[in-house]
Amino acid sequence: MQTGVPAETTAGEPPVAPNPETKKPLRIGVPKETVALEKRVATVPDVVEKLVKLGFSVAVESGAGDAANFSDETYRSAGAEIVPTAAALWSTSDIVFKVRPPSPEEVGLLREGATLIGFVWPAQNPELMQQLAARKVTVLAIDALPRQLSRAQKMDALTSMAGVSGYRAVIEAANAFGRFFNGQITAAGKIPPAKVFVAGAGVAGLAAIGTAANLGAIVRANDTRAEVADQVVSLGGEFVKVDYEEEGSGGGGYAKVMSEGFQQAQREMYAKQAKESDIIITTALIPGKPAPKLITAEMVQSMKPGSVIVDMAGEQGGNCELTEPGQAVVKHGVTIIGYTDLVSRLAKQSSTLYSNNLLRLAEELCKTKDGVIHVNMDDDAIRGLTVIKDGAITWPAPPIKMAAAPAKPAAAVAAPKAKGHGHGAPSEPMSAQSLAIVFGVGALLFALVGLFAPASFLSHFTVFVLACFIGYMVVWNVTPSLHTPLMSVTNAISSIIAIGALIQVAPPLTGAAATGRPSGLILGMAVVALALTAVNMFGGFAVTRRMLAMFRK
């Protein structure tokens, strides 16, 4: 591609200089991961097509997706260029998408001024940070994303990968466990359900709870953050509380280090759960610190033979004292799984989720869709991700200034309480004077209607008033939990129509009252109204039953 060539000019006109602001589209490189047991790839073919639409060119190292079942041919069909060697890929890429932090050799291949996007873990890898800074590159660490920002969720690769690992942990436990998860009664005998205890109810823990509960196990869970108790219950688990009052919420969705008193009470609770549980899944991690030891050797000895422990913190040392990172071992009759590649054991799924996270980040960096990125340091999400900018270390990012909570209204101008509903907070009773005024005005209106309205109108007006009163009383006495506000109003209107229509189609009375017989047109309209209202009411009940059934296990 030629650049800087002046445009054609007519005789006597000076050539038009090229625009210095015009930049050519950038090239995204996707190398093959070199860490042992790592099967993921940073971009999948479906995402390659979307990156091309954003204006980027994409190059993939040959064989990068083989372990995740993405062949070179599928990448080529999606519009990517296949590069035979890692050196050729790194040296020609403006942006590099990675999964694992780069090795020293890969850092040496990264060309000056390039941009690296992937997991970096700056707190745990200070030497890597210095090496990358020396290359004068820009580094966006996907693990440094400020997760408290709601709009950052689409780029949250930590959550994506944690969900995969939690699911896979239950699958590994089921593979090592000696019987079914769900209880069964068969002709060959009774099989009790498995009892699963999950230590830590973050994203990975919640994924494990949901998976184990869906397989039919009895699931219990604990977390230092009290606010996750409802989430545990909603997924079919039971929240086991530590008998010690202390809040454990930390920053960025993680738990904090608890006091010694809390940890002692927690160990006692874990010891009890270890004796009762068939499977224990531990997920406790604190960024920048070794994994806390939750399951002691004595707890392992107290477990029933054939039990299983899946230690998801194996890569950071493990939550169990007997865990051997990367291995599955049997000690005291208990299988202890400390695999460090749980996410890679579902490589195709995890690669797809991770590449979608990077795609959303690319969309934020390239809002102009011209294949050129802009690292906006005024954007809180991008600022948090950027740990190195043009060779200067910018990590850690300054704290995000969250929007201040709205001020509470003064007591003098507090919102008035709702009156007359009967299901909320009790309202103040109406004074005798106000009640007399209301009844007086109502009586005057009825008197005026009776004096001046024609007889035919009075008949229909009486029906309308009775229908409103009866419909109101019928719906008002229904328990609020059985209907939504919209449904209650709909049912009230339906009741009014139904009562009025029934009175209109009723057989005429004998004597003087028989003069109030409706005409054929009114009678026909009443019958149609009654039929349509019946369909609406019975349909509403049917929909309500289906909605309630969705919340039953």
Side-chain angles (χ1 to χ4, degrees):
M1 175 180 178
Q2 293 183 339
T3 59
V5 179
E8 284 189 11
T9 60
T10 57
E13 292 184 358
V16 179
N19 185 0
E21 297 297 325
T22 302
K23 297 180 180 179
K24 67 177 182 178
L26 301 180
R27 178 185 175 94
I28 296 176
V30 183
K32 185 177 182 178
E33 298 297 322
T34 58
V35 175
L37 302 179
E38 182 56 71
K39 299 178 180 179
R40 288 173 292 175
V41 62
T43 298
V44 301
D46 287 344
V47 172
V48 168
E49 295 178 353
K50 298 174 183 177
L51 291 172
V52 172
K53 290 181 180 179
L54 285 176
F56 299 103
S57 62
V58 181
V60 179
E61 182 182 350
S62 180
D66 287 349
N69 295 318
F70 297 111
S71 66
D72 290 349
E73 185 56 38
T74 58
Y75 281 107
R76 190 177 287 109
S77 299
E81 176 188 351
I82 303 301
V83 180
T85 64
L89 180 88
W90 285 84
S91 62
T92 60
S93 298
D94 303 299
I95 305 169
V96 176
F97 281 1
K98 277 276 292 168
V99 178
R100 294 276 188 165
S103 64
E105 293 77 15
E106 289 174 326
V107 173
L109 295 174
L110 191 60
R111 70 180 187 80
E112 186 173 322
T115 300
L116 174 66
I117 301 176
F119 285 105
V120 178
W121 306 107
Q124 292 94 321
N125 297 306
E127 293 183 3
L128 174 62
M129 291 287 288
Q130 294 297 332
Q131 293 170 3
L132 290 168
R135 300 293 297 177
K136 305 296 182 184
V137 298
T138 297
V139 179
L140 278 68
I142 200 71
D143 48 272
L145 179 75
R147 303 169 77 185
Q148 62 268 40
L149 297 176
S150 58
R151 69 183 186 86
Q153 294 178 2
K154 61 185 178 181
M155 301 178 280
D156 190 359
L158 284 173
T159 295
S160 300
M161 298 301 99
V164 174
S165 62
Y167 172 87
R168 184 67 191 195
V170 176
I171 301 304
E172 294 293 342
N175 181 57
F177 190 49
R179 65 172 194 265
F180 300 147
F181 265 44
N182 62 323
Q184 296 184 17
I185 299 178
T186 69
K190 180 180 179 180
I191 304 171
K195 295 181 179 180
V196 178
F197 178 70
V198 180
V203 177
L206 292 173
I209 292 167
T211 305
N214 288 336
L215 289 175
I218 298 173
V219 185
R220 296 171 182 158
N222 169 261
D223 196 280
T224 57
R225 297 159 293 185
E227 67 268 20
V228 304
D230 290 339
Q231 300 176 39
V232 171
V233 174
S234 69
L235 290 170
E238 174 190 350
F239 187 79
V240 183
K241 193 174 183 298
V242 177
D243 191 16
Y244 194 96
E245 294 297 330
E246 183 177 352
E247 176 53 38
S249 295
Y254 293 98
K256 69 177 183 180
V257 179
M258 307 300 288
S259 67
E260 181 55 38
F262 181 93
Q263 293 182 35
Q264 178 59 35
Q266 187 182 54
R267 282 192 289 269
E268 294 174 0
M269 183 269 289
Y270 281 164
K272 179 181 178 181
Q273 292 298 323
K275 294 178 181 179
E276 300 176 357
S277 300
D278 300 305
I279 297 169
I280 295 178
I281 299 175
T282 64
T283 69
L285 282 174
I286 298 173
K289 298 181 181 294
K293 300 300 180 183
L294 304 178
I295 308 299
T296 63
E298 291 77 13
M299 295 180 192
V300 176
Q301 293 179 17
S302 70
M303 296 182 71
K304 293 171 284 189
S307 299
V308 178
I309 296 175
V310 180
D311 193 340
M312 296 179 62
E315 196 165 2
Q316 282 75 39
N319 297 136
C320 177
E321 288 183 348
L322 303 181
T323 295
E324 295 184 11
Q327 303 294 325
V329 297
V330 179
K331 297 184 179 181
H332 306 293
V334 177
T335 302
I336 304 173
I337 299 173
Y339 295 150
T340 59
D341 62 337
L342 287 173
V343 180
S344 282
R345 288 172 179 255
L346 286 171
K348 187 167 187 175
Q349 180 67 76
S350 54
S351 296
T352 301
L353 295 175
Y354 181 69
S355 60
N356 279 322
N357 293 139
L358 296 192
L359 170 64
R360 302 310 170 199
L361 174 56
E363 290 174 344
E364 290 292 317
L365 295 172
C366 181
K367 294 183 178 180
T368 54
K369 298 184 179 180
D370 57 356
V372 179
I373 64 171
H374 171 55
V375 181
N376 182 11
M377 298 297 276
D378 293 328
D379 185 314
D380 287 335
I382 302 302
R383 175 63 187 88
L385 284 167
T386 307
V387 296
I388 299 177
K389 180 72 164 66
D390 298 327
I393 296 178
T394 58
W395 183 87
I400 296 176
K401 296 179 181 179
M402 304 300 291
K408 294 183 179 179
V413 294
K417 294 181 179 179
K419 295 181 181 294
H421 191 281
H423 298 301
S427 58
E428 296 181 3
M430 185 181 295
S431 64
Q433 182 180 5
S434 300
L435 190 61
I437 293 174
V438 170
F439 273 101
V441 172
L444 179 61
L445 291 175
F446 275 103
L448 292 174
V449 170
L451 289 174
F452 299 101
S456 59
F457 175 81
L458 286 177
S459 174
H460 295 302
F461 182 72
T462 302
V463 172
F464 176 73
V465 171
L466 290 174
C468 287
F469 177 76
I470 296 173
Y472 174 85
M473 294 304 297
V474 167
V475 175
W476 199 254
N477 291 319
V478 176
T479 303
S481 61
L482 296 181
H483 59 68
T484 64
L486 177 61
M487 188 176 295
S488 66
V489 174
T490 304
N491 286 342
I493 296 173
S494 298
S495 300
I496 293 170
I497 297 173
I499 296 297
L502 284 172
I503 294 176
Q504 292 287 6
V505 300
L509 301 174
T510 59
T515 57
R517 180 188 179 99
S519 66
L521 176 61
I522 294 177
L523 185 63
M525 293 177 64
V527 172
V528 172
L530 186 61
L532 293 177
T533 304
V535 171
N536 180 58
M537 294 177 70
F538 284 105
F541 281 113
V543 171
T544 301
R545 288 178 61 87
R546 291 191 62 181
M547 291 175 62
L548 293 176
M550 292 172 61
F551 295 95
R552 295 193 185 103
K553 184 176 178 181

